[in-house]
Amino acid sequence: MRWIARRLLHGLLLLLGVSVLTFAFTEIAPGDYFDEMRLDPRISAETVEALRSRYGLDRPLHERYLRWLGSVLRGEFGHSFAYHTSVGSLLWVRARNTLLLTGLATGLAWLIAVPLGAWAAASKRRWVRALFGGGTSLLLAIPDILLALLFLLLAVRTGWFPVGGMASLDYPSFDAWGKVKDLVHHFALPVTAMTLATLPVLVRHVHASMSEVLRSPFLLSARGFGIPPRRLLFRYALPVAANPLISLFGHSVGSLLSASLLIEVVLSWPGIGPLLLESILARDVHVVIGAVLMSTVLLIVGNLLADVLLYAADPRIRVES
Amino acid sequence: MAVAVQVTHGTILRTLVALLFWAVFPLISTLAQSDGAAGEVTLEDPLITNHRVGRKGGRLVTALRAEPSTFNPVVALNIPSQTVIRRMTANLIRINRKTQETEAALAKTWDTSSDGRRFTIYLRRGVRFSDGHQFDADDVVFSFELYLNPEVASPIRDLLVIGDKPVRVKKIDRFTIEFELPEPLAAGERLFDGIAMLPKHILKDSYIRGEIGSAWSLDTAEKEIVGLGPFRMKEYLPGSRCVLERNPHYWKYDQEGNRLPYLDELVFVFVPDQSAHVIRFQAGDTDIIDRVSSENFLILKRQSRRSAYRLRDLGPGTIYSFLFFNLNVTSGKDRQSLRDKQSWFRDLSFRKAVSAAIDRQGVVKLAYRGLASPLASHVTPGVARWVNSELSVQPRSIAVARDLLRQAGFRWNRAQKLVDKNGAVVEFSIITSSSNSQRLQMATIIQADLKELGMTVHVVPIEHRALIERITREYDFEASIMAFGGGDTDPNAQQTMLLSSGYLHFWHLGQTQPSTVWEAEIDRLMKEQVRTIDPVRRKQLFDSVQELMAENLPLILLVSPHILVGARGEIDNFNPAVLEHPTLWNVEELFWSQQRSE
Amino acid sequence: MRRRRKILWAVVPLAALHGLVLLAEFFAPYHYATQNRMLPYAPPTPVHFFDQEGRFHRPFVYELVPDETGMGYREDLTRPCSIRFFVKGEPYRLLGLFSTDRHLLGVDEPARLLLLGTDGFGRDQLSRLLHGGRISLFAGFLAAALSLGIGLALGSLAGFYGRWIDAVIMRGAELFMALPWLYLLLGARAFLPLSISPVQTFLLLVSLIGTIGWARPARLIRGVVLSARERDYVLAAKGFGAGDSYLLGRHVLPQTLGVVYTQAALLIPLYILAEVTLSFLGLGVAEPEPSWGNMLGELQKYHVLTSYWWMFSPGLVLVVVFIVYHHLARKL
Amino acid sequence: MTTEAELDDVSESLLSARGLRKRYTRRGGWSKPLAVQALDGVAVEVVSGSTVAVVGESGSGKSTLARCLALLERPDSGSIRFRGDDLLAANRRSVTAARRRIQMIFQDPASALDPRWTAAEIVGEPLRIRGRERARERRRQALGAMEQVGLLARWADRRPRELSGGQRQRLAIARALILEPEILILDEALSALDLSVQARIVNLLLDLQASRDLAYVFISHELSMVRYLADEVVVLQTGKVVERDTVAGVFNEPRHPHTRELLAATPVLERAAAGGG
């Protein structure tokens, strides 16, 4: 447990470092939030200056940082210039939406990847291997943005899927079954796109570690004992192949907030991606820092989770220490 | 199972609340009566509108380009916020978007003094806020106090400060207010259009606490947002939509005595992506669409024969795009190359040659697919009342451009590059906002056009904020393409750009004295028209300003994009206009002519 | 040897592609920036072999003219224009060395040979695709080389020497992976002078991205070095009196080659793609210079996405290039 | 129980180590820092042309001892003298010189040979590091060394994975021999091999010892080969020497209980080894 405390301390230091550097970066990028008002014929330059000083933008960097740190301790994570509200409340709803999308997609991708990768690794048929290799190569080679655009095109051309939003306007008036149908309808496109974007890497990894395990003497002898292939695959081989997959799982948890940015923007999902992009362009600094820190936290949690799972799954690690 | 339990809980809770309400209601109503006993007035003089009588009911859905950032009129700036806020609030006098003239709103009538400095406004009696609270002169005085308080730093304040002095507001009686302007201001009543009236009883506390800026933010409870507009806030879902419902206390009626608005609900869905706007409109998810780009308009048009919507090309709006050169006075060693180039930019022949070489028809065809108008004056044909129709669009002529350059001492070297008197090759950069694809396209077209004159032009798309900083604060650019417009059509709204001391006088900022003769003349004309009440004389003065601008080319005008909108066919009283907001400005009059076929 | 043949399957198409792209001026029928304002978004010109009377003819095309709606195009069937090889066209310098005006393909006046249609300025999409590849492929190489170079140096230092060097470098890597680099890129563009050419600007930004991207390869390389360092033959060489530089150079770094090659094959497409994101933020290659990234970025415009299928060509090329690179990564 | 005093009179020894201590601490991981005393005051004496066997269970500190003796690891305290020079106090140069006299053969030939290199390159590597000869000369000498250990010249361009386990271990020996060392430290050098191969390698080692006057430090956890090969046996337990005697002494009259345990655990394999030879 002391180890976990140490890791958490490390994480905290990392967060501090990230926040300091992010602050420094925002200084490098030219312009600030209130610059946009300079183009508004109704607003005088004095008003812009007054607003800047009200939000402390005329203060030196370190002072602004300390003020921000203070607001983090109060749980507000700073103030959004654009939304006139605390960043914490702003981010939370959108982070939830993003996690809903990526969590669902990642879960789905794992559900598909493990059996598919294992099956392809165990299969001796040439066409299975060729199809598998070709399919994953193709998916891997299609850039996320192109994938999202193709799905958009599909939605437009067929009219089968709604574009944007998580539920219909009439959602509250539907009965339970109608609600489920509506949700599935709205989630179908973004979740599929996201799943397809994460799938190939996962499948490749499952395939690689399973192939390796299946070639090991342990499994060869197990096969010799006449254990049925399916049981062999999932009861014997999979646990052995688990270690690298657990690390990968930690990684996919770590990227839950950041992986879907382009897909969210293109398919107008009300997640953190569009907000982040908009805030970067609008120099709504605190929102950006909040979002970056949030995904850093997830990154740290993901790594920690992977190590804990690894510890739980693999007795060897315990023996070593 | 869990869901079922929740529902039961909810039902029980609701029943309890209802019981409680009915038990306490008589008490509340007596209290309210005793409170308002001094002057509880029924709506004596509602505004009776003059349009086709509609039928009640239905919901209208439209998309916003971005999520509103606040529901607070005091601090709201961006278009999405204002679009929502303006449906929930009202002003004393408003500008009719179609006629571009002022008309009565919360003010039943008003008197203007002969020198144009004093306005006496008579409020409608018995108007109520959306929570049922009475509206009177106290709310007006409170609202203006808020807007004018320098500590609040409301962007609206700048409208109400004329020649460094604020407007004075005085309550005469419960329904009469007097406004006194520090200086004469032609068409001063137009000011009132931008100023929403606020409920004193709701906002007083946060104003006293000094927190008015963060009042009515996105996390404010829906019930607390109270206004005088046709709709009031019902539900806000972060990141996805906000739903407005009919304001039951609205003060407009149709000719048959039906209280407006007709629609039950007005829904704004937040769709950050332009294409998604079009897609959702095509799919029938949204009922009205505005700010359609020309390409998307053509796509919609191609399909409109099959679909139940109609599209309107309203012609040029108030936006004018232009190329301009950096004529600022700069210092510092690192700006030496800029100063060298400024010797060309300051040469009127050079600017004229550039203007003559630009293929404005090409811009219209390529960047706007035909749905834009080339400009002769910086006042667009969309502002019919003020445009100087004597001015004509400069036809493209490379020969004319070459003559102008030759006469100004430029030559062409062996590689057909343009060189100046000192033998320096003419090469400069045009910066544009990277987020605006039309301006980028215009820059690319101009780049190719000027290549025919032997000029080497670099097109540098920069991110928007960086662009603003370079232009307004650092003066670190050579040329840029920008666009202005929106807001009021009155010449007064253009002072900040036209006056040599104005902070939007981008080509040369920070002048204490006009640096050229023609800038001095524009200053004089603009200052005179502000004091002139006679509209005909004002028009003459403003025509001269436009002539001076066209002759001296501080802005090399390009085109004005058309305002393109669409609406579902069953929406009646749809009367779009080029001014903001093009489709929803008369939202209280819109109605569904028949039940939507679903 | 079978392995080598499999690698050839990836290397040969890549080499061919790079050849095409390097000699873009020759293979492209037109200059990439030549606007044809009468032909925005013209579809690919159909190539015909039989004339109106059904007689066989050498390959020819018809001139495209706006159709009645003013929104589309039709072929002007009155005048067939033959396709010819090695025609005279716009002059250029091949590889920056030879001046010539010969192009591989061309067509008789007044028609234009638009094998992949045109973009919104009426510029030939094929010519832009060929030119764009030059920037995109080079940018990918440059950025990947920088990332790998720095990653190799820092990763092997961390893995070989361990202790505090390792700790510092690895904490740095974590930090680098978490930071929002877009800001730095926005800032960097602001510092660059306005009058340098778009290609230079872009390459500077790409170098910056490449420099930033060292963390991931460094972690991988560190892992390999860590295990390589423990090998007995490293210990044995130490026993023969070998110094650190010998050990690193002869035994440890050669171990990382596999990872480096594989990473290179994965990073190059990644960085080619990074340019799309840069274009999204207005930091991509500026007009009129084409690149696969800014050409693909056109698809973000709804009307392009739905109406002009030939504008997908950069996407198709990218997918093919990526497949080949990934194949290479797997076989290395 | 042997004491260090008993060893003092052996003055003509080639390599003598006294009071070696080495402690490993493990940081990080799951629990608090863990310390292991791998060597706790170990002394070893090697006479020219003789074989000292070090036996013990795994974890008894054998490998640490081997690495310390081969100067691949630095003990925390103690002294290592080679021909009388204290190597732990000596300058770099003389350490490098001594290192070339003391060579080590590792347990796993697969890990001890760089898979990328050819046999001739591997054998010639020590020369390459010393940097006196040109490539052609190096190859000539490498082929010579290979021949000495019974490897054919036509295998010179094969890579380790193309050779059998025994051939690989011969390759490692050839590499160790090329600098003409005086001591070879064999760290479990036979345990990864088949029995018949083991026997053949043992015979090779004996031949080499006879022809070159080599000294061996033979480290093993099983005693079968030790009896056949060693002159003297040192028994290690948890970093301490518990018994030191001649082969005959250890095998016939083991004094320490741990030695008896080890002997009991060793299957009788002499016949196999002898028969293989």
Side-chain angles (χ1 to χ4, degrees), chain C:
Chain C
M1 291 309 103
R2 270 196 56 181
R3 201 174 94 106
R4 190 155 293 174
R5 201 158 58 222
K6 278 184 176 165
I7 290 179
L8 275 181
W9 272 107
V11 170
V12 169
L14 277 182
L17 188 75
H18 283 82
L20 267 178
V21 154
L22 268 180
L23 304 175
E25 288 95 343
F26 172 69
F27 290 108
Y30 303 104
H31 187 256
Y32 62 85
T34 305
Q35 299 182 358
N36 200 336
R37 291 184 187 168
M38 293 318 290
L39 290 171
Y41 296 119
T45 355
V47 177
H48 299 271
F49 294 92
F50 298 93
D51 59 20
Q52 289 304 97
E53 282 86 50
R55 278 194 305 262
F56 183 76
H57 197 285
R58 63 178 296 163
F60 66 94
V61 301
Y62 293 112
E63 191 193 356
L64 284 181
V65 290
D67 65 6
E68 295 68 33
T69 64
M71 278 155 73
Y73 298 93
R74 62 177 176 81
E75 291 179 297
D76 177 10
L77 298 177
T78 53
R79 264 175 75 181
C81 305
S82 297
I83 295 175
R84 302 188 189 280
F85 287 95
F86 303 107
V87 291
K88 279 190 184 208
E90 283 151 290
Y92 59 92
R93 288 179 78 81
L94 196 63
L95 295 170
L97 297 172
F98 322 100
S99 281
T100 169
D101 57 359
R102 293 284 167 181
H103 295 257
L104 178 65
L105 286 174
V107 73
D108 294 344
E109 293 289 313
R112 286 181 84 79
L113 183 63
L114 308 166
L115 292 175
L116 285 177
T118 66
D119 68 0
F121 294 100
R123 300 181 292 204
D124 177 33
Q125 185 80 349
L126 176 66
S127 306
R128 291 181 70 74
L129 205 60
L130 287 169
H131 277 274
R134 192 181 295 178
I135 285 184
S136 296
L137 291 174
F138 182 65
F141 262 127
L142 179 69
L146 280 167
S147 285
L148 282 173
I150 301 172
L152 194 63
L154 291 177
S156 53
L157 273 181
F160 194 73
Y161 289 104
R163 293 167 184 274
W164 66 268
I165 298 182
D166 184 33
V168 167
I169 292 177
M170 285 303 108
R171 291 296 93 75
E174 276 169 25
L175 198 64
F176 260 66
M177 290 203 279
L179 286 174
W181 291 105
L182 283 181
Y183 265 116
L184 193 71
L185 293 174
L186 288 177
R189 180 61 192 94
F191 284 124
L192 292 175
L194 293 177
S195 288
I196 61 175
S197 83
V199 179
Q200 280 172 311
T201 318
F202 175 68
L203 290 182
L204 279 170
L205 287 176
V206 165
S207 327
L208 194 63
I209 298 183
T211 313
I212 291 163
W214 63 271
R216 221 167 273 278
R219 272 159 72 122
L220 287 170
I221 286 162
R222 169 184 173 269
V224 176
V225 169
L226 219 53
S227 76
R229 186 183 71 160
E230 296 301 316
R231 293 294 160 91
D232 285 338
Y233 56 81
V234 176
L235 215 55
K238 225 189 217 172
F240 306 133
D244 287 349
S245 58
Y246 176 91
L247 292 179
L248 265 172
R250 297 281 174 190
H251 287 300
V252 175
L253 290 187
Q255 287 284 322
T256 65
L257 277 184
V259 176
V260 170
Y261 287 144
T262 312
Q263 278 290 303
L266 290 174
L267 282 177
I268 291 173
L270 203 69
Y271 284 127
I272 292 176
L273 203 59
E275 193 223 322
V276 183
T277 319
L278 282 185
S279 297
F280 201 81
L281 289 165
L283 295 168
V285 185
E287 292 285 358
E289 213 73 40
S291 77
W292 290 348
N294 67 15
M295 292 172 76
L296 192 66
E298 286 287 301
L299 286 180
Q300 283 163 18
K301 294 177 187 161
Y302 178 60
H303 67 106
V304 179
L305 181 76
T306 51
S307 313
Y308 313 119
W309 56 268
W310 57 94
M311 297 296 280
F312 275 88
S313 50
L316 195 68
V317 173
L318 274 180
V319 169
V320 170
V321 171
F322 288 2
I323 286 181
V324 175
Y325 265 117
H326 288 152
H327 179 76
L328 193 64
R330 245 179 358 145
K331 298 299 171 209
L332 276 172

Side-chain angles (χ1 to χ4, degrees), chain A residues 30-33 35-39 41-44 47 54 82-83 85 94 156 163 169-170 270 281 283, chain B residues 59 61 67 69 77 152 158 218-219 239 241 267 279-280 463-466 468-469 472-473 503-504 506:
Chain A
D32 62 45
Y33 175 75
D35 269 345
E36 177 85 42
M37 296 183 193
R38 287 170 202 278
L39 291 190
R42 295 163 301 175
I43 305 166
S44 70
T47 306
R54 216 176 93 190
Y83 291 91
T85 176
R94 287 159 185 83
V156 173
V163 176
L169 286 172
D170 298 314
L281 293 178
R283 304 288 187 281
Chain B
R59 179 178 68 193
V61 185
E67 191 163 353
S69 56
L77 270 173
V152 172
D158 294 321
L218 300 187
D219 7 306
R241 63 171 178 268
V267 181
I279 296 167
R280 296 187 75 162
E463 190 269 330
H464 197 51
R465 309 271 153 168
I468 298 171
E469 180 160 297
T472 63
R473 286 206 268 181
Y503 45 84
L504 293 186
F506 282 149

Side-chain angles (χ1 to χ4, degrees), chain B residues 404-422:
Chain B
L404 282 162
L405 288 171
R406 202 171 294 126
Q407 280 157 25
F410 290 89
R411 308 174 274 109
W412 286 268
N413 67 13
R414 201 173 298 162
Q416 284 306 304
K417 299 262 184 210
L418 187 68
V419 291
D420 69 4
K421 283 183 273 247
N422 309 322

Side-chain angles (χ1 to χ4, degrees), chain B residues 5-298:
Chain B
V5 171
Q6 256 179 1
V7 168
T8 339
H9 270 297
T11 329
I12 294 171
L13 205 68
R14 226 171 293 148
T15 326
L16 273 176
V17 170
L19 280 174
L20 207 67
F21 182 73
W22 288 117
V24 182
F25 180 69
L27 196 71
I28 296 177
S29 45
T30 26
L31 277 177
Q33 267 165 17
S34 65
D35 182 44
E40 191 67 11
V41 184
T42 49
L43 186 52
E44 287 172 11
D45 38 18
L47 191 148
I48 309 294
T49 56
N50 178 26
H51 54 75
R52 190 157 43 251
V53 171
R55 36 184 278 176
K56 284 210 175 194
R59 179 178 68 193
L60 189 83
V61 185
T62 183
L64 290 178
R65 192 63 52 81
E67 191 163 353
S69 56
T70 176
F71 299 123
N72 185 344
V74 184
V75 292
L77 270 173
N78 61 13
I79 289 176
S81 309
Q82 287 188 337
T83 303
V84 178
I85 290 170
R86 285 214 159 208
R87 303 316 126 208
M88 299 193 293
T89 56
N91 28 41
L92 298 173
I93 296 170
R94 84 155 169 181
I95 297 168
N96 182 312
R97 268 37 181 178
K98 203 70 194 180
T99 62
Q100 302 181 7
E101 300 296 336
T102 52
E103 63 185 23
L106 287 168
K108 189 169 67 179
T109 54
W110 69 91
D111 299 332
T112 313
S113 66
S114 57
D115 61 354
R117 282 182 55 197
R118 195 174 300 122
F119 295 91
T120 312
I121 285 185
Y122 305 97
L123 297 179
R124 286 177 203 283
R125 289 161 184 266
V127 171
R128 285 166 191 273
F129 282 101
S130 55
D131 63 346
H133 200 278
Q134 197 101 43
F135 163 77
D136 60 24
D138 287 336
D139 294 303
V140 178
V141 174
F142 172 76
S143 303
F144 276 88
E145 190 185 337
L146 261 181
Y147 292 122
L148 281 167
N149 187 338
E151 303 239 316
V152 172
S154 168
I156 307 257
R157 182 180 140 85
D158 294 321
L159 292 179
L160 301 172
V161 174
I162 295 146
D164 293 338
K165 286 201 208 85
V167 171
R168 284 225 314 270
V169 185
K170 198 166 87 193
K171 175 180 170 184
I172 305 292
D173 63 37
R174 193 171 173 204
F175 295 107
T176 315
I177 308 109
E178 190 184 271
F179 293 86
E180 196 184 333
L181 273 46
E183 284 172 19
L185 179 66
E189 70 275 12
R190 296 181 83 92
L191 283 183
F192 293 103
D193 180 79
I195 298 161
M197 291 299 108
L198 302 169
K200 186 178 180 182
H201 65 286
I202 301 270
L203 291 175
K204 193 173 57 191
D205 290 346
S206 57
Y207 175 55
I208 292 168
R209 283 199 306 274
E211 290 167 3
I212 192 70
S214 42
W216 286 1
S217 72
L218 300 187
D219 7 306
T220 306
E222 283 87 351
K223 286 273 169 298
E224 276 175 47
I225 301 172
V226 162
L228 294 159
F231 291 91
R232 64 182 182 188
M233 182 62 69
K234 182 184 179 198
E235 184 191 27
Y236 160 69
L237 281 176
S240 59
R241 63 171 178 268
C242 71
V243 181
L244 308 189
E245 65 182 353
R246 179 208 314 275
N247 171 7
H249 304 282
Y250 196 52
W251 40 274
K252 286 188 188 174
Y253 285 78
D254 69 13
Q255 279 156 325
E256 286 181 5
N258 301 311
R259 191 174 222 146
L260 296 183
Y262 294 119
L263 297 167
D264 291 335
E265 279 182 359
L266 177 63
V267 181
F268 294 98
V269 289
F270 315 141
V271 183
D273 186 61
Q274 263 205 53
S275 6
H277 272 241
V278 181
I279 296 167
R280 296 187 75 162
F281 181 68
Q282 278 178 315
D285 289 348
T286 57
D287 304 313
I288 279 191
I289 188 167
D290 49 76
R291 285 188 199 78
V292 189
S293 74
S294 40
E295 294 96 350
N296 291 341
F297 189 78
L298 291 178

